[in-house]
Amino acid sequence: MKFIKKYYKVFWSAVFLLAALAVQYWITFPGSEVVFLLLYLISYLFVGRPVWIKAFKSIQRGTIFSEFLLMGIATVGAFILGEYAEGVAVMLFYMIGEYAQGNAVRKARGSIESLINQQPDVATVERNGRTQEIHPSEVEPGEIIRVKPGAKVPLDGELLTNRASFNTSALTGESKPMSRNAGEEVWAGSINELVPARIKVTKGYENSRLSDILNMVQEAAQRKAPTQRFMTHFAKVYTPIVVWLAAALTFLPWLFLESYVFEDWFYRALIFLVVSCPCGLVISIPLGYFGGIGAASQNGILLKGSDYLDQLRKMKTLFLDKTGTMTEGVFEVQEIHPANGHETSYILKLAASLEQYSSHPVAKAILQYTNGQEMPEASDIQEIPGRGLKATIGQEKILVGNRKLLEEHEISVSEIDTDKPSAFVYVAADGMHIGTILISDKIKTDAAQALKELRDLGVANLIMLSGDNQETTDAIAKKLGIDQAFGGLLPDGKYDKVNKALRSDHIVGFVGDGLNDAPVITLADVGIAMGGIGSDAAIETADVVIQTDQPSKIPQAIRIAKFTHKVVWQNIGFALGIKILVMALAAVGLATMWEAIFADVGVALIAIANAVRVQKKFSEGPFTLRSFFGSGKDNTEINNNPVSCCEVC
């Protein structure tokens, strides 16, 4: 009953069509001709009326030659020729195809809808010594909210509870729960797993990570790939051409044939019109891209436009930031090497007294290593971008940073004999190098395999860019199997490297995570940001955001892009091939309206099913007819009218 209620137009049209066929061919009685004609008309009105309404609305908007007009002319023409069953069948199967298209589009957008459903509409906030439930938009940053086990976190914040576990699969595609300790960040949309959690809100409702994700994915659905744009323009030119060709097929033979029969050629023209409807061709292309975007988002990869699927597929050069991208970005002090007779504890205290004013991960590692020891007071602190810090402690001028910082102040550096892939932090006092702190960063577990897969997928040039010293950068690059690596780069240095590569004739990508990477991410053909630990600026400027911070998601994104492209062009080739063949057969009188129905609706259904494969291939769960034809609430229908390819595109 639910199916009949949802698709009542198609259902009752089919019922009256069967009744008309029965009266016309099997049940005869006085006046049966009038009865079966009336039954055909009723059947036609159920499925034909919505199409004619859309045809007139399309004409009012200035688009005369639309798919709706093609179907309308063809079916009315069939009635004029007395081919009542064929006229109704064309419109009936056309409507079935439209319903299937609408459901397939909803299926492809399912991951986006599931993200939207992740946005909670209630927050439990602590106010005036008690708790109250309000909409998350009414909670201010700085307030404390409570989240019960099994409930969704409504806003981004800082965990106050000692330890809690959160399911972030809807945001990142990662099924493993994310453990958080007090003071660490918690994202809106994640689900509290085990214990009641108290969270201090750090961002407003509109600025939460979940809101950013929703905006990115929804905007991506609006940005068309070049293939989509081409097919949209193609349909606008193609449709009026086939209408005039159908008119020519009807009347031109009269000039050349002595045995010209208007009804025969008019019937051929009607078949020509039915076959030529571009709906299945046009809808299957954006549907393929919707599937690609949806499959990517289910895997924790956010694409800000379907055009970036094409860019990823064609990418030949990828520049890689090191810290936080190929490595964990979690530093630890490994060794301290004194120089010129100074003690280790003195070097560490001087470095920590300056680094406490920096937010860099290296600074945090040094402060953590001091384990709460007292530090001398520093004054006149100045941060030098890409170099380090300088300040005054007592009467001494202190420098803490990379080798270039010391060299610029004409301080000679004592060399260290080590082959460890560490970052070197040099400490100088009153113009003398007094020691070097070795800090290591762990390579991400999937980084090496990700780079191998990238090469297998056709990304021939992998180049590492880093602000760390050249020795450290080379050591990490060697472990990852990267041939080219450039260390000691400031943001403008990275920018110049990528800008030079852009002058080539192939697509260039860059992946990074920091604030200093934002200009380069914007510059690259494909800017990729690590969205978990990445800065807001990097995420906002990126074309692709990796929610899980896993390098292995980059080759996964390319695989999705390549498969999407393959499916889209399969649909184009198949649909055009069948249509041209049946149009040619119709022109010479070897095709009937039933072949035309297959060439239009049948081809559309096959193309749609093929497009749905994109999402099914990269997500869990078997493909079923139920999932293909859709179920549940129908959001893309208005007044029970099926979605059309023109409305989608």
Side-chain angles (χ1 to χ4, degrees), residues 302-367:
L302 300 181
L303 296 153
K304 293 187 180 179
S306 53
D307 47 346
Y308 297 119
L309 283 168
D310 279 346
Q311 298 285 64
L312 279 168
R313 177 182 58 82
K314 295 184 286 187
M315 185 171 66
K316 296 297 181 186
T317 297
L318 179 62
F319 289 90
L320 309 132
D321 174 53
K322 180 180 74 67
T323 305
T325 302
M326 291 294 105
T327 64
E328 297 284 357
V330 179
F331 293 89
E332 292 180 349
V333 174
Q334 297 296 314
E335 299 173 3
I336 300 176
H337 290 256
N340 297 313
H342 289 81
E343 293 183 359
T344 298
S345 59
Y346 178 64
I347 297 165
L348 182 63
K349 285 180 180 181
L350 290 184
S353 64
L354 269 68
E355 294 289 13
Q356 65 181 314
Y357 298 99
S358 173
S359 60
H360 195 280
V362 168
K364 294 179 181 178
I366 292 174
L367 291 172

Side-chain angles (χ1 to χ4, degrees), residues 192-231:
N192 186 16
E193 291 271 294
L194 301 173
V195 299
R198 295 177 73 240
I199 299 168
K200 182 180 179 181
V201 176
T202 55
K203 292 182 180 179
Y205 182 71
E206 297 298 328
N207 298 318
S208 69
R209 183 174 293 268
L210 179 58
S211 295
D212 291 341
I213 293 171
L214 293 177
N215 292 333
M216 279 189 274
V217 179
Q218 288 170 332
E219 287 172 10
Q222 305 302 319
R223 295 188 56 157
K224 295 184 177 181
T227 310
Q228 282 179 272
R229 291 192 291 267
F230 167 75
M231 289 309 302

Side-chain angles (χ1 to χ4, degrees), residues 287 301 306 329 354 470 478 501 542 555 625:
L287 187 59
I301 306 162
S306 53
L354 269 68
Q470 188 65 49
K478 185 178 180 181
L625 287 175

Side-chain angles (χ1 to χ4, degrees), residues 96-241:
I96 291 173
E98 289 288 280
Y99 280 120
Q101 288 165 14
N103 286 321
V105 169
R106 286 186 291 280
K107 182 68 178 175
R109 288 174 173 166
S111 60
I112 300 173
E113 291 173 2
S114 67
L115 277 175
I116 293 170
N117 292 334
Q118 288 297 318
Q119 197 155 31
D121 53 9
V122 174
T124 303
V125 63
E126 296 181 2
R127 285 181 178 174
N128 302 320
R130 61 188 184 89
T131 61
Q132 60 183 103
E133 292 187 349
I134 59 175
H135 193 272
S137 61
E138 299 175 31
V139 180
E140 298 292 332
E143 291 193 283
I144 296 173
I145 58 174
R146 295 185 182 182
V147 183
K148 297 177 181 178
K152 295 172 186 172
V153 178
L155 296 156
D156 289 354
E158 176 186 315
L159 184 65
L160 299 180
T161 306
N162 287 335
R163 186 174 179 82
S165 181
F166 298 90
N167 184 334
T168 62
S169 59
L171 302 174
T172 65
E174 178 60 52
S175 58
K176 184 180 178 181
M178 176 181 68
S179 295
R180 282 287 182 260
N181 296 317
E184 293 185 326
E185 184 183 15
V186 178
W187 300 337
S190 55
I191 300 173
N192 186 16
E193 291 271 294
L194 301 173
V195 299
R198 295 177 73 240
I199 299 168
K200 182 180 179 181
V201 176
T202 55
K203 292 182 180 179
Y205 182 71
E206 297 298 328
N207 298 318
S208 69
R209 183 174 293 268
L210 179 58
S211 295
D212 291 341
I213 293 171
L214 293 177
N215 292 333
M216 279 189 274
V217 179
Q218 288 170 332
E219 287 172 10
Q222 305 302 319
R223 295 188 56 157
K224 295 184 177 181
T227 310
Q228 282 179 272
R229 291 192 291 267
F230 167 75
M231 289 309 302
T232 301
H233 295 307
F234 170 79
K236 289 179 180 178
V237 175
Y238 164 86
T239 307
I241 288 175

Side-chain angles (χ1 to χ4, degrees), residues 257-450:
L257 299 176
E258 293 183 3
S259 58
Y260 173 79
V261 179
F262 171 78
E263 288 80 3
D264 291 345
W265 289 99
F266 184 46
Y267 182 70
R268 296 183 188 186
L270 296 179
I271 297 171
F272 193 88
L273 284 178
V274 173
V275 176
S276 63
C277 179
C279 189
L281 177 64
V282 175
I283 189 66
S284 63
I285 295 167
L287 187 59
Y289 283 107
F290 285 154
I293 292 171
S297 64
Q298 285 183 337
N299 283 270
I301 306 162
L302 300 181
L303 296 153
K304 293 187 180 179
S306 53
D307 47 346
Y308 297 119
L309 283 168
D310 279 346
Q311 298 285 64
L312 279 168
R313 177 182 58 82
K314 295 184 286 187
M315 185 171 66
K316 296 297 181 186
T317 297
L318 179 62
F319 289 90
L320 309 132
D321 174 53
K322 180 180 74 67
T323 305
T325 302
M326 291 294 105
T327 64
E328 297 284 357
V330 179
F331 293 89
E332 292 180 349
V333 174
Q334 297 296 314
E335 299 173 3
I336 300 176
H337 290 256
N340 297 313
H342 289 81
E343 293 183 359
T344 298
S345 59
Y346 178 64
I347 297 165
L348 182 63
K349 285 180 180 181
L350 290 184
S353 64
L354 269 68
E355 294 289 13
Q356 65 181 314
Y357 298 99
S358 173
S359 60
H360 195 280
V362 168
K364 294 179 181 178
I366 292 174
L367 291 172
Q368 187 175 11
Y369 193 74
T370 63
N371 198 25
Q373 296 178 24
E374 289 188 14
M375 295 171 285
E377 190 69 29
S379 60
D380 301 326
I381 299 160
Q382 182 181 349
E383 184 168 358
I384 304 169
R387 296 290 190 266
L389 298 158
K390 69 178 182 178
T392 301
I393 297 179
Q395 300 299 317
E396 292 184 304
K397 302 293 183 183
I398 309 299
L399 298 174
V400 179
N402 57 26
R403 179 187 287 265
K404 286 187 177 181
L405 177 66
L406 271 64
E407 290 175 347
E408 287 174 356
H409 287 78
E410 299 180 349
I411 299 173
S412 60
V413 177
S414 301
E415 299 296 336
I416 297 173
D417 184 17
T418 181
D419 58 354
K420 294 181 179 180
S422 305
F424 292 178
V425 178
Y426 298 93
V427 183
D430 278 344
M432 179 186 292
H433 176 217
I434 65 171
T436 304
I437 302 173
L438 272 63
I439 297 179
S440 67
D441 187 9
K442 185 180 178 183
I443 295 174
K444 291 183 178 179
T445 55
D446 63 335
Q449 180 63 26

